[in-house]
Every structure is written in structure tokens, then in C-alpha cells.
Amino acid sequence: MRRHGWRWVLIGVLGLLVTGCFAPSGPRFGDGSAVPEEVSRVRLPVRPGPDGTWVVNSPGEGLLGQGRVLVRRAGPDRRGWRLALPAEFALTSQRPGSAHSAFVGDHSVVLVGGREGRRGPSEIAGLDLTNGRLAWRLRVAPDSRVFSYDEGATVLVADCRAGSCRLTGVSYPTGRRVWSRTAPGAVKVLDGCRADAFVADPVVGRAPCHPYLVTRDRVSLLDMADGRLYERPGLRIPPGGIDRITENHGRITLATAPAKGSCRATVVSESGGDGAQDLGWRYTFVWDQPQAPRDPATGCRWDRTLPLTVVRSLVLPDAEGALVLDPYLGLRKQLRRLAPGEYLTADETRVEVVHASGRPDRPLHPTRTPLRPPGLSPAARFLTRLLWQDGRRLVLLDHQNRPLWEAASACRAFMGDGEGPGVSLTYCDGPDLVTVRPAWKD
């Protein structure tokens, strides 16, 4: 009897597991049948910029900021507020760390101010998210650089002059200086994630985020918590100095800027570990980016803000045709060269796309699936599965690429967080900000 009893218990447990695994899920965008249902409509709290985006847009924190207005939208577990920013902290730059920008992390916002007639940041401020006010303000030296990363506990201010850098760690919650040191022989501090990285915003968890201190002959990792430096031994600095730096699976890759006149640049990739130099590679080429205008300082087609890492590929803009490499193996793996005038980009689905002026886009790796559903322009943005924005048009498709729902948005629509990934869509309907969620079609 005991054996039979256990058998029935096991059958019951298996039944519960199977029922849970195969029970029908709720409606979702992209399931081919659910359509948007309006759950919120409010007056647009702050207008986006001319390109239809906001400098600050954090759906998880409910933040929207542009110009001198920063708003937190009310939610189930947060109070809404509206903050009129001082002119010095007006939000106009999309590049965190530059004047008039913001660092937005998990439950932390650092504003970077700028004053007329001054290059670079002038002041930084911490935001009290709960009450919607500036919690502290701190002046920074002229030509300083400001760094902050997603953990947001410490803000780094780097003041580099001839022959040394003064480094200061500032506590985000209080605005107090928690450590300070002078690094003699230092040339610059590089941001390994945003302004000086090979890609503007690496996917969370894919690449480490920290600053690097650079001298004329070495690179050191800077610990944000206490200001300690950890030298990367064996890493050779290429002639011409370092302009960009990135790290991939423990391998550091450095790139120089194109030289004035010749446009020659060098990329060096090494593990940085003792005895591991033989695993690295170095490549010198003539820099030419078809999608970039001529840089007045160098005479080269060069735009420093364009990424060199596209999804899974490292792209070196060689004048003979862009080289596409594995970012870790580099020259040790077979190279792929694009035709002159072609360059690599990525669509919103993270598919690597080869683009050239006057030619149709094509995927880097052949696929049976078209880059975009029929009827959408090359500029169409992927929002989530079967949901696209093409100019002002929003369209949700079924599995046969037939429209299930359409709307018009005067701003760049965005997905929001909720009970599951991508469960809400927010867009601008005339003067209103509208949020919709998937619902079963009647």
C-alpha cells in the first residue's frame, strides 16, 4: 500500500508540473493574435527633442527628461513629480558624461552640468529620486571628465593636466569626496563603456564597465570604490597614443585615432596577462568610414561616435574595404572584407546588416528571413516581436505579416517593464502620452 501511495503522489506532482508548464500564457505582443489595449493616457509631461527622443528615458524608473524639465511618472510603487532644472543642468546631450547630460543607473541619476563659454562639464549633481529634487551639487575643475556606471555608488571626476591626473571619487548618495589621488605620468582616463569604448552602450553583462588610466607606456584599471590602480602587464601602447579602449572576455583592445594627413591608425589586441602576448594581434590600416564626413582636424572620414563593435563583430574601417573580425580572435581567424563604400550596422533585432549608399541592405550572414516585413521602409524600428515603428506609423503584425493594429506616434515609441518582458508600449498620440498592453482580441 505504501508503494502505491507514493506512486499516486508522484503522478500528482507530475500532473501539476505538466499543467504549469503547458498552461496557456497570457496575451503577449508578437503572439500573432493579441492586440494593444489602452491602460494609461496622460498629457505629455515633457516634450521630446527634435528627433523624437528624450535625453533621459528610463521606463523602469518612470523618468522622462528633456531640456530643463525632468519628470517621474507616477506608478504603483512610486510618487510622481516634476522638476524644473537649473539652466546649468538642462538636458540636451545624449552622451552621458558630457556637459548637459545625465547618467541613469539602477535607482541613481547623476546630472552633468555645463556653463556657457566653458568646455566640458562645470558641475555635477545627485538626484533624490523619491522627492524629485537635487540632493547635492559639486563644482568640477575646467576640462574635467566625469564617469559613472550602472552600480552608481561612486562618481569619478578626472582632472588631467600636463604629466598627471587628479582623480576624485564622489559618493552618489551624499556628494562627498570619498577618496582622492594624483597619478603622476598619467595622460588621460578612458571610459571603457561609453565615450571611449568600441560601442556606445554594451549589452548588460557582455562587457565589463570601468575606467582605465593611461600613461605613455602602460594601461591601468581604476577601481571606482577606492581609487586603486591595477596595471595590465604586457599591454603595449601603439604609437600615436590610445583613443579608444574595449575589453572582451579578458582581452583588451586599443585603437588609435587616424593620423592627420595619412589617416593611418593602429589597433592592438592583447590579453594583458604575463606570457600571453603571443595570443594577441596588431593591425595598421588607413582609416576611412563611408558613413562619416571629413573630420576637419585630421582630413579623414572619421566620426569618433560611430561604433567599431557591431553586435558580435569588430569592424575596422579600412580604406580598401571594411574588415569584419571576431573581436576576440581577431587576425587569427579568417577575415571578411566588405566592398569599398559598404559598412556594417545593426537593425533593432540585433541582426548585422551591410549597408551602402544607393544599394539595398543585406544581412552579413545569409538568412531566409527578410530583414524587415514587406511594406516597411529600411528605417523601420523593431520594438518587439511583430511590433514595428516606421516613421510615425506603429504597426503590430500577425504571423502572416498582416496588420493587427496600427497607430501613429509623434515620438520614438518605447517598450516598458512590467509583469513580463516587453509587456507595455508607450507612444505619443498628439498631445498625450499613451501606454498600451496586449489583450486578447474580441
Side-chain angles (χ1 to χ4, degrees):
M1 291 292 293
R2 184 175 298 173
R3 184 180 301 170
H4 290 296
W6 278 110
R7 180 183 298 171
W8 285 112
V9 170
L10 288 173
I11 290 173
V13 171
L14 287 171
L16 289 172
L17 289 173
V18 170
T19 302
C21 291
F22 295 99
S25 59
R28 298 177 65 86
F29 291 133
D31 64 11
S33 58
V35 294
E37 177 183 65
E38 188 173 306
V39 294
S40 170
R41 179 181 288 266
V42 298
R43 209 67 166 165
L44 189 63
V46 51
R47 291 192 175 278
D51 63 351
T53 68
W54 294 265
V55 169
V56 171
N57 184 358
S58 175
E61 294 291 348
L63 294 171
L64 285 177
Q66 183 72 29
R68 295 187 60 179
V69 179
L70 182 60
V71 170
R72 194 180 201 195
R73 295 179 291 147
D77 55 352
R78 63 174 181 255
R79 180 174 62 87
W81 47 255
R82 181 184 183 89
L83 174 63
L85 296 169
E88 192 166 359
F89 291 105
L91 296 167
T92 58
S93 172
Q94 299 276 2
R95 301 191 66 195
S98 61
H100 298 291
S101 69
F103 292 102
V104 181
D106 293 334
H107 312 297
S108 66
V109 176
V110 177
L111 302 174
V112 183
R115 288 206 306 262
E116 188 175 349
R118 174 170 164 171
R119 293 186 308 170
S122 60
E123 188 173 2
I124 58 175
L127 181 68
D128 180 342
L129 273 173
T130 302
N131 300 308
R133 61 180 180 83
L134 300 185
W136 53 265
R137 297 174 63 163
L138 181 68
R139 292 282 179 191
V140 299
D143 296 323
S144 293
R145 296 193 66 191
V146 180
F147 305 83
S148 182
Y149 300 98
D150 286 343
E151 64 273 13
T154 306
V155 181
L156 170 66
V157 179
D159 178 18
C160 293
R161 308 283 171 169
S164 69
C165 287
R166 183 67 177 173
L167 309 173
T168 304
V170 179
S171 166
Y172 166 72
T174 65
R176 295 177 181 174
R177 296 175 176 88
V178 292
W179 58 263
S180 186
R181 66 175 299 163
T182 298
V187 176
K188 63 177 73 172
V189 177
L190 294 178
D191 184 347
C193 265
R194 297 185 185 92
D196 310 310
F198 280 30
V199 60
D201 282 305
V203 176
V204 175
R206 188 181 73 177
C209 288
H210 39 236
Y212 297 89
L213 185 77
V214 179
T215 67
R216 297 193 184 280
D217 58 0
R218 68 181 183 273
V219 174
S220 299
L221 188 152
L222 176 63
D223 191 320
M224 291 279 286
D226 54 19
R228 284 187 293 181
L229 297 170
Y230 299 91
E231 185 179 341
R232 297 299 297 254
L235 192 60
R236 296 169 295 174
I237 305 295
I242 304 171
D243 180 65
R244 288 207 243 179
I245 188 168
T246 198
E247 187 171 340
N248 184 281
H249 298 293
R251 179 180 298 283
I252 289 182
T253 306
L254 316 172
T256 68
K260 183 177 180 179
S262 69
C263 298
R264 293 181 70 82
T266 299
V267 174
V268 175
S269 183
E270 293 181 348
S271 68
D274 291 333
Q277 289 96 341
D278 59 317
L279 297 180
W281 54 271
R282 175 183 292 239
Y283 185 73
T284 298
F285 61 100
V286 176
W287 193 299
D288 187 74
Q289 287 172 294
Q291 70 272 45
R294 294 276 176 194
D295 174 52
T298 63
C300 312
R301 288 203 293 182
W302 173 52
D303 183 346
R304 194 177 182 277
T305 65
L306 293 174
L308 297 180
T309 300
V310 178
V311 188
R312 295 172 295 276
S313 299
L314 173 62
V315 183
L316 304 185
D318 196 324
E320 296 181 11
L323 284 175
V324 181
L325 303 85
D326 180 291
Y328 184 78
L329 296 174
L331 300 179
R332 294 186 293 132
K333 188 176 180 180
Q334 184 177 4
L335 307 181
R336 179 168 183 172
R337 189 181 289 277
L338 303 182
E342 291 183 336
Y343 59 90
L344 197 63
T345 183
D347 69 4
E348 299 286 344
T349 64
R350 294 185 56 77
V351 171
E352 294 160 315
V353 178
V354 179
H355 182 82
S357 179
R359 307 177 202 168
D361 288 352
R362 60 181 174 84
L364 178 66
H365 306 287
T367 175
R368 294 181 180 179
T369 306
L371 291 175
R372 298 169 192 86
L376 296 182
S377 77
R381 294 178 51 243
F382 174 83
L383 293 167
T384 190
R385 189 165 181 262
L386 300 180
L387 180 58
W388 295 76
Q389 181 172 7
D390 192 2
R392 295 174 61 95
R393 180 192 180 203
L394 291 171
V395 57
L396 176 66
L397 305 170
D398 64 14
H399 292 305
Q400 284 74 46
N401 289 325
R402 296 172 302 197
L404 279 171
W405 170 85
E406 292 192 50
S409 178
C411 65
R412 187 180 176 114
F414 56 92
M415 305 304 295
D417 300 326
E419 298 176 358
V423 297
S424 67
L425 168 72
T426 300
Y427 65 97
C428 301
D429 182 12
D432 296 335
L433 191 68
V434 178
T435 297
V436 295
R437 289 188 177 175
W440 297 125
K441 190 175 182 179
D442 293 335

